[in-house]
Amino acid sequence: MTHRYYKYYNDSDLFSGMRYVEALNVVAIREIIVNDDAIIASNIKYPKWGVMLAEGDCAYDSIEEVQKIDLSEFTHYWERHLKNNAGRWHLTKLAYSPGDQVRGYIEVFLPQGAIIDLGNSILGVADYHACKASTRESFVMGKGHFVTARVQGYDEQYQWLILDLPQVSSERRIYEF
């Protein structure tokens, strides 16, 4: 498994700026878009569009406008982002201790696992296979299914709660548009 780092200019109606990507082989696992002092990153759920991370495989090395960068350049912006969110992360850890039972819903599936929205901008990550094992064989798990789990600990790199013993419900969150 090879980690590679890239950057390119992201021009979007939602948020433009320099996009920094950490890819594992050809799959993005962390992203940041920086525009002056404003930063959005793939470890936060944003009201306008949810969790921001490229889906699927991407051959970044074959795209002309994408530049390879080193780990230190990516880390500079990721750590800046984590520092900006340190207060929110501290409050999350005060509110949720290892062993606490939580309930949320599946926001998205990422390479890291099932991302569970616990409300109030708090995200947890649960092992996909453990989530699937909690359902009947023919059950199709998807966005919006409620999950109960136990807080196992904290993922400092992503500022997510690590969830174990997930139980996926057939009940789904009702989305209002």
Side-chain angles (χ1 to χ4, degrees), residues 27-44:
V27 177
I29 59 171
R30 291 192 291 173
E31 293 186 24
I32 310 166
I33 301 175
V34 179
N35 185 336
D36 297 323
D37 289 333
I39 297 176
I40 63 170
S42 59
N43 66 326
I44 304 286

Side-chain angles (χ1 to χ4, degrees), residues 135-152:
T135 67
R136 64 185 188 282
E137 190 174 319
S138 62
F139 183 78
V140 178
M141 220 174 27
K143 180 176 178 152
H145 280 110
F146 282 98
V147 176
T148 56
R150 183 180 67 183
V151 176
Q152 179 183 3

Side-chain angles (χ1 to χ4, degrees), residues 41-45 78 81-82 88 123 157-160:
S42 59
N43 66 326
I44 304 286
K45 180 180 175 186
W78 188 261
H81 162 66
L82 294 180
R88 180 191 61 80
L123 297 177
Q157 181 179 30
Y158 289 93
Q159 295 181 335
W160 291 339

Side-chain angles (χ1 to χ4, degrees), residues 69-134:
I69 60 172
D70 61 20
L71 170 62
S72 64
E73 186 173 353
F74 180 88
T75 300
H76 168 77
Y77 291 105
W78 188 261
E79 288 181 356
R80 188 170 127 195
H81 162 66
L82 294 180
K83 184 176 178 184
N84 289 347
N85 287 292
R88 180 191 61 80
W89 179 233
H90 176 72
L91 292 174
T92 297
K93 292 192 299 186
L94 288 176
Y96 294 89
S97 299
D100 286 354
Q101 293 295 313
V102 296
R103 184 172 192 259
Y105 61 89
I106 296 172
E107 174 63 28
V108 68
F109 297 107
L110 297 179
Q112 296 87 338
I115 305 305
I116 311 301
D117 184 329
L118 300 170
N120 299 320
S121 300
I122 298 167
L123 297 177
V125 61
D127 180 76
Y128 173 84
H129 299 292
C131 288
K132 185 65 181 155
S134 77

Side-chain angles (χ1 to χ4, degrees), residues 4-7 20-21 67-71 73-74:
R4 292 191 174 103
Y5 302 89
Y6 304 94
K7 72 178 180 182
Y20 297 86
V21 178
Q67 301 171 35
K68 275 188 171 179
I69 60 172
D70 61 20
L71 170 62
E73 186 173 353
F74 180 88

Side-chain angles (χ1 to χ4, degrees), residues 21-30 54 56-58 60 111:
V21 178
E22 176 183 23
L24 181 57
N25 297 320
V26 293
V27 177
I29 59 171
R30 291 192 291 173
D57 296 354
C58 186
Y60 293 100

